[in-house]
Amino acid sequence: MVMCCGTGALSKLSIGPSGGTLSRMDFIEFIPTRLIKVLSDGSKNVIRGTLDHGSIHPSEGMAWVEFRTTMYMTAAKNDVLFPLMGMAESPTDTFTLADALTAGKVVVTPNGGKDHTFDNAFVSKWMVHGQKGTDPIRIDIDWCALSWAEAALGTYTHGTIVEGHPYAFAGQGSMTLEGATRYFNQVRLGLDYHLITEHNNSIYPTNICPSDHDLSFGTGVLYSTCDSSTDLYTVPMTTATAATGSQLTLAWSRAVGAATYSTNFVVGNVKLTPRYPGIKKNAFNRLPIFGKGYAVGSAALLISVNDASA
């Protein structure tokens, strides 16, 4: 008997610009969030002297190609992903959020299966997140593509893997908010482009366009005067300063031998929405922090400096 071991562990994933060179990446999950095709079927409305639906009625309907990739964030991967996330590089290693999205291409090969290509794939939203513990910082990206194609195993050759060095949550990250360094037990920074799609007399989408830069932020800090964190509740609750906001900086760096790899995110202005801390007998009093991102004047909403070559 031949063993059939189509396991996820030996699967492969490559990502890059549509029409350009793809980079193979290690990943945690590939999640089909809306990879479906429906039938064009009006048989439920037809009166034909029986309760049965006639097989002649259904035909090919519309398809949606939406999925999520989850992986540990590294500077090396960011060099590939950031341009697809609408962040233009200029000068070198500095990525600035722009209004346009670059079409990407994703090829996934489930071990034991076939090659699946998702072309003209656009990032619909992404989130960088982590929390205390042993798991490194992750980046989740949701995609929406114009097309899907299947080919025999080996039709696409996945190249050398781009891994980089993941950032540990403990000791390799920092945050500046409301003009002070903050110590946090969890963090998330996300951007939703609120993609709009349409099917123009077509099975697959014909247009995919961004309509918004909806940036959200969340974290948790110890609510204590000795930790100088109570202002993160006082400030947004005070009428005079509620809407002022402040710049947010999230930064990660990792030393590997003589080299240092780093990634930071600078949001022009984050306005906090206050939440009161919960109180339990056997737990620290922690203040949940939520905020929305805004651009200041003509400056970009989000800028990232990503150094994968140090």
Side-chain angles (χ1 to χ4, degrees):
M1 178 180 176
V2 177
M3 297 299 292
C4 189
C5 298
T7 63
L10 298 178
S11 301
K12 298 177 181 179
L13 174 75
S14 291
I15 300 175
S18 180
T21 301
L22 306 191
S23 300
R24 182 184 166 196
M25 299 183 182
D26 60 348
F27 64 106
I28 301 170
E29 278 188 291
F30 179 94
I31 303 171
T33 52
R34 200 186 185 198
L35 264 170
I36 61 172
K37 180 187 283 186
V38 298
L39 294 173
S40 175
D41 181 9
S43 61
K44 66 179 180 180
N45 302 316
V46 175
I47 301 171
R48 51 194 302 269
T50 175
L51 299 182
D52 297 338
H53 291 212
S55 64
I56 63 171
H57 287 275
S59 60
E60 194 173 23
M62 293 192 301
W64 288 266
V65 186
E66 300 174 18
F67 56 93
R68 177 179 303 144
T69 55
T70 299
M71 60 188 69
Y72 293 124
M73 185 179 75
T74 71
K77 293 174 187 172
N78 288 345
D79 273 349
V80 178
L81 297 172
F82 279 2
L84 302 177
M85 292 158 53
M87 301 177 71
E89 185 178 13
S90 181
T92 300
D93 294 338
T94 298
F95 296 84
T96 302
L97 184 65
D99 287 336
L101 285 172
T102 299
K105 184 176 182 178
V106 179
V107 179
V108 62
T109 303
N111 177 46
K114 297 183 178 182
D115 293 342
H116 298 263
T117 299
F118 308 93
D119 205 359
N120 287 297
F122 294 87
V123 174
S124 61
K125 59 184 176 182
W126 56 263
M127 180 178 292
V128 171
H129 61 102
Q131 61 184 13
K132 65 178 181 180
T134 58
D135 216 26
I137 301 298
R138 297 188 182 202
I139 180 168
D140 301 343
I141 300 179
D142 283 27
W143 306 80
C144 182
L146 290 179
S147 68
W148 162 86
E150 181 184 77
L153 181 66
T155 302
Y156 175 82
T157 301
H158 293 271
T160 303
I161 195 166
V162 174
E163 292 182 293
H165 301 276
Y167 300 114
F169 185 85
Q172 295 180 357
S174 64
M175 179 194 303
T176 303
L177 180 63
E178 288 291 339
T181 298
R182 307 295 177 173
Y183 301 96
F184 51 100
N185 69 338
Q186 60 180 314
V187 68
R188 62 171 177 81
L189 179 71
L191 187 64
D192 191 336
Y193 299 91
H194 291 277
L195 294 188
I196 53 175
T197 64
E198 63 176 354
H199 293 68
N200 286 326
N201 193 35
S202 61
I203 296 170
Y204 287 89
T206 50
N207 290 315
I208 300 176
C209 301
S211 67
D212 198 1
H213 282 162
D214 185 1
L215 188 145
S216 60
F217 163 73
T219 188
V221 300
L222 185 67
Y223 185 73
S224 171
T225 53
C226 66
D227 199 33
S228 302
S229 62
T230 58
D231 65 308
L232 293 180
Y233 182 76
T234 304
V235 167
M237 282 294 286
T238 303
T239 302
T241 57
T244 302
S246 71
Q247 186 179 88
L248 166 69
T249 301
L250 289 173
W252 285 274
S253 65
R254 178 174 175 179
V256 181
T260 299
Y261 303 90
S262 61
T263 302
N264 73 20
F265 298 91
V266 179
V267 182
N269 184 269
V270 168
K271 301 186 189 300
L272 302 178
T273 52
R275 301 288 189 276
Y276 198 77
I279 301 173
K280 295 182 180 180
K281 178 179 180 180
N282 60 344
F284 289 106
N285 295 329
R286 289 208 164 268
L287 183 67
I289 305 292
F290 297 94
K292 300 286 288 185
Y294 299 86
V296 179
S298 60
L301 167 63
L302 176 66
I303 297 174
S304 176
V305 177
N306 184 71
D307 190 352
S309 59

